[in-house]
Amino acid sequence: MEQQNRPIGVFDSGVGGISVLKELVSLMPQEHYIYYGDSRNAPYGGKTLEEVRALTEEKVLHLLRQNVKAVVIACNTATSADVSILRQRYPDIPIIGIEPALKPAVLSASCPRVLVMATPMTIREEKFRHLMEQYQGQAQIYPLACPGIAEFVERGELQGERLQELLERLLAPYFDMEINAVVLGCTHYPFVRETIASVLPDRVQFYDGGSGVARETKRRLAGMGMLRIGDEKGTVEFENSLDDPRVLSLCCQLLNSK
Ligand code: DGL
């Protein structure tokens, strides 16, 4: 196989990383993709560091065995736990991770109030603490661990009373804080952005890291002369650790959602 025709591997704890896959496909439609979701073990956000590392390494190896030309870790939690270890282990292959899109949110206004929603692990890990330190002087930053939201997306429950109740409970302490920007620091959350928006004041702006990851992936592949050439559209193949047709149909639904 021509080197440029090799697929790009995309990995997440479940179906959330499809929000990143959408950005990749929209920026590089001619590429082939293999998306692996570990829905059997989702959510990762409440597991221990060791558990997330072991699962991530196993799934990334599974993608590498399929001769992918790059790996996108479309999961903030797995990125914060493992991306530096993976890069050391596989120095010859681009491994692109994702982190909460704090920078554009902070730069959106002068000293904005920024709420960062992410999994308990992402919020707790050193990677996020470093990121936060970088912008601390330029904004009021409120990190918020959001256990439970990813599970709704895994079930394909993207709206409704039960989700609304959970969001109201998580977000109630911030209702009077004049939040300007919300960072969706988990790749599952863009799929419930409208429901999140419905419980927050109108003026709030949302930020997520998906398009930045797509641009970075393209830049890395272009730098190595590894972009697939031509106008022919590429393919998207879904793999999931839950061998359940309902998960695969949810994957297609999420990829085709607006
Ligand atoms: N999609 C993952 C992320 O971006 C996390 C969801 C989970 O807890 O598994 O952090």
Side-chain angles (χ1 to χ4, degrees):
M1 187 195 279
E2 281 229 32
Q3 292 302 309
Q4 288 90 341
N5 289 340
R6 288 159 60 199
I8 297 172
V10 184
F11 164 70
D12 179 45
S13 63
V15 299
I18 296 170
S19 63
V20 179
L21 178 66
K22 279 171 72 154
E23 300 287 349
L24 288 160
V25 171
S26 140
L27 188 67
M28 296 176 284
Q30 76 287 2
E31 295 292 340
H32 296 307
Y33 298 91
I34 301 177
Y35 180 94
Y36 188 93
D38 189 15
S39 294
R40 182 183 293 278
N41 293 300
Y44 279 14
K47 294 191 189 304
T48 65
L49 191 59
E50 291 69 31
E51 284 170 328
V52 173
R53 282 186 175 155
L55 289 167
T56 304
E57 283 163 30
E58 183 189 317
K59 307 309 175 191
V60 167
L61 185 59
H62 171 78
L63 285 169
L64 291 171
R65 287 195 173 124
Q66 299 185 67
N67 199 25
V68 295
K69 61 182 175 181
V71 175
V72 177
I73 310 286
C75 177
N76 293 262
T77 309
T79 299
S80 61
D82 210 43
V83 78
S84 41
I85 298 175
L86 288 167
R87 284 181 183 143
Q88 266 174 26
R89 187 164 307 164
Y90 306 109
D92 299 332
I93 187 131
I95 297 182
I96 297 98
I98 185 165
E99 61 180 19
L102 196 52
K103 183 177 178 181
V106 167
L107 299 179
S108 66
S110 98
C111 210
R113 292 167 179 271
V114 180
L115 181 68
V116 183
M117 299 172 70
T119 68
M121 178 171 298
T122 300
I123 297 289
R124 182 174 78 225
E125 275 310 303
E126 208 179 298
K127 203 166 193 313
F128 179 69
R129 269 187 284 124
H130 281 158
L131 185 68
M132 212 169 123
E133 274 161 23
Q134 234 176 297
Y135 296 105
Q136 201 61 270
Q138 302 170 57
Q140 291 284 345
I141 303 170
Y142 305 98
L144 175 63
C146 298
I149 302 179
E151 288 91 318
F152 276 87
V153 180
E154 286 296 308
R155 289 195 297 271
E157 198 176 332
L158 308 181
Q159 57 215 0
E161 227 168 88
R162 293 196 321 155
L163 177 58
Q164 200 131 356
E165 266 168 33
L166 169 67
L167 291 170
E168 277 168 11
R169 187 158 48 75
L170 289 166
L171 296 169
Y174 303 92
F175 284 167
D176 297 327
M177 293 183 96
E178 298 186 13
I179 296 294
N180 310 102
V182 172
V183 176
L184 302 176
C186 166
T187 55
H188 282 68
Y189 301 172
F191 291 117
V192 290
R193 190 184 54 215
E194 278 172 26
T195 315
I196 297 174
S198 74
V199 302
L200 286 170
D202 281 348
R203 58 173 195 291
V204 169
Q205 294 286 320
F206 286 90
Y207 297 87
D208 72 69
S211 56
V213 166
R215 286 195 302 275
E216 175 64 8
T217 306
K218 185 171 186 183
R219 198 184 64 78
R220 295 287 300 278
L221 289 172
M224 298 166 71
M226 286 291 274
L227 284 172
R228 186 161 183 256
I229 319 288
D231 300 331
E232 187 204 345
K233 257 185 108 183
T235 55
V236 175
E237 190 182 319
F238 286 113
E239 291 186 354
N240 196 287
S241 53
L242 268 187
D243 197 11
D244 181 339
R246 278 173 304 183
V247 182
L248 293 178
S249 100
L250 177 61
C251 289
C252 297
Q253 180 199 326
L254 294 176
L255 182 63
N256 295 319
S257 63
K258 62 167 176 62

